[in-house]
Amino acid sequence: VASFFFIGLMSMMIPLCHVFGALIAVCLFMGLFDGCFICIMAPIAFELVGAQDVSQAIGFLLGLMSVPMTVGPPIAGLLRDKLGTYDVAFYLAGVPPLIGGAILCCIPWIHERQKLKER
């Protein structure tokens, strides 16, 4: 969850980098947390759906991840054409990981409620 939050935060910090060294630092942290997210994606899928459906869940996650990866750059270019800057595109790119991190924070609470209902 922390890696997801930091990915969103680092995306939003890119327009604030006015020195090349700051951009390198932001990209370094963004890459580090993105790697952490990719590494924990399989265990999270395993825990959510179980051993039987984990391969299908990972495929579904990767398929869903391909949609913003494909649609995002043309939308960012359109925003650049309309607004004259990429800043808004970077700020908007940081919002989904922040929302996703908030949703991931709720999953343990939901699982705990389901366990209590089963008992």
Side-chain angles (χ1 to χ4, degrees):
V1 173
S3 63
F4 222 40
F5 277 122
F6 276 104
I7 290 169
L9 186 64
M10 292 297 126
S11 293
M12 292 176 147
M13 288 184 66
I14 289 174
L16 303 176
C17 296
H18 299 291
V19 179
F20 186 65
L23 181 63
I24 289 174
V26 166
C27 290
L28 179 73
F29 281 112
M30 189 171 176
L32 176 71
F33 289 113
D34 186 47
C36 292
F37 169 71
I38 295 299
C39 289
I40 64 171
M41 188 172 60
I44 288 173
F46 180 84
E47 191 168 323
L48 288 176
V49 299
Q52 191 76 345
D53 297 323
V54 73
S55 60
Q56 185 176 1
I58 292 171
F60 187 68
L61 284 170
L62 292 174
L64 282 176
M65 287 171 57
S66 70
V67 173
M69 297 285 193
T70 304
V71 177
I75 292 174
L78 182 66
L79 287 170
R80 162 65 167 88
D81 289 345
K82 297 289 182 191
L83 302 174
T85 181
Y86 282 109
D87 291 356
V88 174
F90 283 110
Y91 294 136
L92 290 176
V95 171
L98 292 175
I99 292 171
I103 291 171
L104 283 174
C105 284
C106 296
I107 289 176
W109 178 70
I110 293 169
H111 274 292
E112 198 61 39
R113 286 189 62 194
Q114 286 179 345
K115 286 180 185 177
L116 288 174
K117 283 183 183 179
E118 289 173 1
R119 292 180 190 169

